[in-house]
Amino acid sequence: MTRGLPLLLLCICIFCSPSAVRAGGLPVTVDGDFADWGAAAAATADPAGDDGSSGIDFRNLWLAHDQDRLYLRFDTTVEVQPDEQQDIRLYLDTDMNAGTGYSIQGIGADLVWELGGRSGTFYTPGSNNIDHPDIGLTIAPTVSSSQFELSLARDAVPASGKLLFPGSSFRMVLRDGTGGDVLPDAGSVSYTFDASAFPAASLPLERQDTSHVRIATWNIQSDGLFDTNSGHQAALGRIFDAVDPDVWIICEVWNHSAEEVRQVVEGFLPSGGGEAWYATKRDDGNVIVSRFPILMDWEVNPGYRITAALLDLRPVQDTDLLLVANHWRCCTADGDRQNEADSVVEFLKDAREPGGAFTVGPDTPFVLGGDFNLVGWRQQLDTLVGGEIQDNGTYGPDSPPDWDGSSLSYALSRQPDARQVYTWRNDYSSFYPGMLDYLFYTDSVYELAHGYVLETRTMEPSTLAAYGLQAGDTPDASDHAPRVGDFALITGTPSPPVLARGARLLPNVPNPFNPRTELRFSLPQPGRVRLDVLDARGRHVATLLDAERPAGTQQVTWTGTDSAGRGVASGVYRVRMAVDGKVVDGRAVTLVR
């Protein structure tokens, strides 16, 4: 027994079954991290070696609660997925009546939930088929694991007006299908709620320091940025206004260009004096929109949805930023996601080490964002974080992605008023809410100073009102919620040089321009320089220079014409610079007719 527990907790232990446990009030965040499960959690153990053919061998069950939710944590010994390919079942006798519900090991389970089948039955006393929103079920991690935590809403009314938890106590059994391990081996685990309350402190939505760079990643479902429904557009507008980042990663832009996205973002968040939005799209679905100039961009793995861009964060932070936008394959496509993870690790290795397709300055921060669809097996997550490439023949040797040879960090920021971290939720889908959208970063040089997931359904009315939001804004806008992170350079980190202070394009003057602009560039040594103008779709417009040039700062003029001398339309164009046949830089320029 843990020393120093309040007398109230010691007094509410109950012994009506062979595996009674005491109540454990805890502020648990359902994030798959488990660090917040301490000694105060109610726990019961199960013997080892009594697993069935699945290999699942329950060893421990932990229970806790707060004023809103019941939390369960259990281990499985072997790695399994949380939402399929296993037959783990929860049996909860919530009315404490063995004569009602599903009979198992001396209890009458009012709730039977099949985790792998993503379905359940609630007895009222008749049987009612129910879905996860009916009981407010959330589970983490979203990827496979040998340990899980889940939560249920204490005020849930699954069917026929009957509360899921009508009283202060319940009994439960955890079982692997019909022939596997059972916890406990006999009888049930009994638990009683006390008055523990741990309201989540509201997270501020605004950035806390002007020296921080705010990056937001958002999958706006099915070209939803361009859905003209007035209610949808109003929800988008309120969310854009509340988040107000420096950089957006927007996923699922299937049928629109980077320039079209830039114009929409400009409409929601108009540029002020001396400001401008820049945008790039190098794959089929991701667009990076930035208030900072985009120096270069790449399609990381052709055929997949991964775009990278090098941003110049000056004057806010004296550094470049290598940003990688991702929208990985969904659902059961573990093989495709592994290719995507392997290729990103290879790309970051190329960026760090001289001699590849490109090299950024030492200690340039990396941030990887987007909808990674990390469901199924966790190897893709392990590869991205630790650099454990699986297809070494194609993507090269393993390569820890941070500058100091360590792993990437990633945000587990919660929702503003709830201890939940899921970023995707569709109450009409059988799949549980999950953490699909991430921000990974190199924590040797960059620090996540503040962050959150903007899920308006779990926000308090006072918080919504303070930021001009409505409870339905997140689901009205998309099935994903934006993940937001404010990043700071770690004190003492040397400022990485822009493209190693090598050959580079300098800001053109003027920009926007009409009818002409001066394109400036610098060369550390003589070389053959080629400057090409590309349109928003990456198509060649004109070649402005292809000649040997001496070292130093130089300039050429573009008059807004194509290679045939015809005037081109208003829009954002990209100037690409190559030296001795190698692309070294790129910059967006805006023509206004």
Side-chain angles (χ1 to χ4, degrees), residues 253-269:
V253 182
W254 305 126
N255 300 303
H256 295 83
S257 69
E259 172 58 16
E260 290 174 301
V261 173
R262 189 197 67 80
Q263 291 177 13
V264 173
V265 173
E266 177 70 36
F268 284 130
L269 299 172

Side-chain angles (χ1 to χ4, degrees), residues 84 142-143 219 251-252 254 283-286 299-307 325-341 343-344 370-377 380-381 395 435-438 480:
E84 58 188 2
T142 309
V143 294
N219 181 331
C251 305
E252 293 204 19
W254 305 126
D283 63 62
D284 289 339
N286 296 307
E299 187 176 12
V300 172
N301 191 349
Y304 293 93
R305 301 185 295 255
I306 311 173
T307 285
N326 301 262
H327 185 193
W328 291 5
R329 295 299 192 271
C330 181
C331 312
T332 58
D334 286 279
D336 283 328
R337 280 196 301 276
Q338 190 61 55
N339 282 330
E340 290 161 326
S343 67
V344 171
D371 176 7
F372 289 83
N373 272 315
L374 284 169
V375 297
W377 299 105
Q380 299 106 50
L381 175 60
Y395 299 104
M435 193 170 90
L436 306 186
D437 306 85
Y438 286 76
H480 289 252

Side-chain angles (χ1 to χ4, degrees), residues 436-474:
L436 306 186
D437 306 85
Y438 286 76
L439 287 171
F440 298 90
Y441 58 99
T442 46
D443 65 2
S444 68
V445 293
Y446 229 21
E447 177 184 10
L448 180 66
H450 179 57
Y452 56 86
V453 174
L454 190 60
E455 167 58 274
T456 56
R457 282 169 289 193
T458 61
M459 292 172 66
E460 295 293 331
S462 57
T463 308
L464 293 168
Y467 293 100
L469 294 164
Q470 298 181 10
D473 280 348
T474 297

